[in-house]
Amino acid sequence: MYKSKKKIIIAFLLPSLLGLLVFKVGAMLYSLYISFTDWNLFGSPQLIGLANYIEILHDERFYLALKNTLFFIVGYLPLVLILSLGLAMLLNSKIKKVTFFRGLFFLPVITSWVAVSMIWKGMLNPEFGIVNTIIRFFGGSGPAWLQNPSYVMPAIIITTVWKDIGFLAIIFLGGLQGISSSYYEAAQIDCAGKWQQFKSITLPLLSPTTFYALIITIISSFQVFDQIWVMTSGEPTADLVPVMVTEIYKNSFQYQQMGYATALSWVLFIIIILVTIFQNVMQKKWVHYE
């Protein structure tokens, strides 16, 4: 009986496993092979050994892209985590029509990046954009957000935070609702204030959720692409703020250096793996389970 059930389970899983092996694992292994070749998308790839990886080590564009990617992460990560946690705590409170507000803040998450980027590109227009209009209303002078290299990355960060805050807020909201109210009742009996409750109860018990949010946010941040590509398209800063994925895209489809682009993607993959391993090691020092 057990063996027959096992065969049925395998029969149902086999199509998905074959698809995973062919289109995921197989594609990854083939891309690893391509990273050791010189290939312009036409003809046959020519093996060149470690030449692509050696070229990466001497490529100034690679270091500029890595620097911009890290700048984005440093600006985006704390901002989105803090704001999304604050929003989650607000949505977890007993306010009227809380379900409506949860849906409202989640709306940007289900909106495509192209649409969001085009909307923000218009809002950040230095002449008629609503952002600079508001700044001028209060007597200030708004910058040319997407035309000035000093402001384009902050503009990208603001746009990304606006879109992603609802998604992380829902994750934090689930974590908050998983904390037993008995802890807060006991703290109130001991006359603990709101800040003491947050510091001693909410943050420690929310640390597994925070760790999960941190991991997925860092991984997605290293892969930032859509908003930068759309918002800087046609702008003078388009070639001044490369990130890792834009360099991979350009080398693949504009410069037709598929071998070099694939090597870049593997370098990015290794960086993400190392950061994730580091986070998993460090979690033992600050993640607390009930």
Side-chain angles (χ1 to χ4, degrees), residues 92 172-188 197-198 200-206 209 289-290:
N92 194 43
F172 279 120
L173 181 61
L176 288 170
Q177 293 184 343
I179 300 175
S180 174
S181 59
S182 60
Y183 294 113
Y184 296 103
E185 292 170 359
Q188 289 173 358
Q197 293 179 34
F198 176 76
S200 303
I201 299 174
T202 305
L203 280 183
L205 296 182
L206 201 62
T209 304
Y289 297 93
E290 291 186 76

Side-chain angles (χ1 to χ4, degrees), residues 57-58 61 84 90 115 143 153 155 197 242:
L57 294 176
H58 298 89
R61 291 284 299 181
S84 58
L90 179 63
M153 194 55 75
Q197 293 179 34

Side-chain angles (χ1 to χ4, degrees), residues 198-218:
F198 176 76
K199 183 178 65 173
S200 303
I201 299 174
T202 305
L203 280 183
L205 296 182
L206 201 62
S207 59
T209 304
T210 306
F211 173 71
Y212 172 73
L214 183 65
I215 287 291
I216 63 172
T217 305
I218 289 178

Side-chain angles (χ1 to χ4, degrees), residues 8 20 35 73 80 125 158 185 189 201 264 271 275 278 289:
I8 294 173
L20 177 66
S35 71
I73 293 172
V80 74
N125 186 284
I158 292 170
E185 292 170 359
I189 292 173
I201 299 174
L264 275 174
I271 292 173
V275 171
F278 175 76
Y289 297 93

